[in-house]
């Protein structure tokens, strides 16, 4: 009764019951019938192992797909961060062409502090 109330309890009861039933048939069934039930148990075990292997394979493929997506997302994030950092660096640094042309424009203009040769 306690086992029936826990998670997967009914499944566990079924498996335990099947094992006892099959083993008793192997021992009490005679030579031919005993061999039949033994082969039945081995076939069941092989099916369960195959199902477990298939499940593990599916889990691995799902993990691989998730990992590949996470890696692609990480690379995209990193590339975006690098692009933002590069654009921020470019915005913070003065433009050498703009600075050079402004300096050249100032150099050609007369300064107000110098006295003109014809001024009184």
């Amino acid at each position: 009764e306690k086992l029936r109330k826990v998670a997967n309890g009914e499944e566990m009861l079924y498996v335990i019951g099947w094992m006892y039933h099959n083993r008793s048939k192997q021992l009490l069934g005679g030579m031919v019938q005993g061999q039949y039930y033994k082969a039945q148990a081995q076939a069941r075990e092989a099916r369960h192992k195959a199902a477990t292997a298939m499940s593990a394979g599916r889990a691995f493929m799902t993990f691989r797909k998730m990992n590949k997506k996470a890696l692609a997302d990480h690379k995209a994030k990193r590339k975006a961060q690098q692009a933002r950092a590069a654009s921020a660096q470019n915005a913070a640094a003065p433009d050498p062409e703009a600075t050079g042309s402004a300096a050249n424009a100032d150099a050609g203009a007369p300064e107000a502090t110098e006295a003109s040769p014809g001024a009184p």
Side-chain angles (χ1 to χ4, degrees):
E1 289 298 318
K2 290 181 183 180
L3 194 56
R4 196 175 279 205
K5 294 177 185 177
V6 298
N8 299 327
E10 287 187 28
E11 292 173 20
M12 289 192 310
L13 281 173
Y14 174 79
V15 169
I16 292 168
W18 188 91
M19 290 172 60
Y20 274 102
H21 174 77
N22 186 278
R23 187 66 178 151
S24 68
K25 292 287 187 179
Q26 286 180 35
L27 295 175
L28 302 175
M31 183 73 148
V32 175
Q33 194 176 13
Q35 290 299 317
Y36 168 77
Y37 282 106
K38 186 175 182 179
Q40 187 182 31
Q42 289 172 342
R44 182 172 189 216
E45 183 180 351
R47 279 193 312 270
H48 284 280
K49 284 182 180 181
T52 302
M54 286 176 40
S55 178
R58 280 191 301 262
F60 173 74
M61 294 304 283
T62 302
F63 168 76
R64 200 169 128 198
K65 195 181 294 183
M66 288 171 47
N67 191 28
K68 195 174 187 179
K69 184 182 180 322
L71 185 61
D73 290 347
H74 178 71
K75 283 183 179 180
K77 251 186 206 177
R78 193 170 197 186
K79 193 173 184 179
Q81 285 175 343
Q82 288 173 345
R84 280 194 303 267
S87 66
Q89 257 183 347
N90 290 341
D95 189 11
E97 291 179 9
T99 309
S101 61
N104 291 339
D106 289 341
E111 291 186 26
T113 56
E114 290 184 26
S116 301

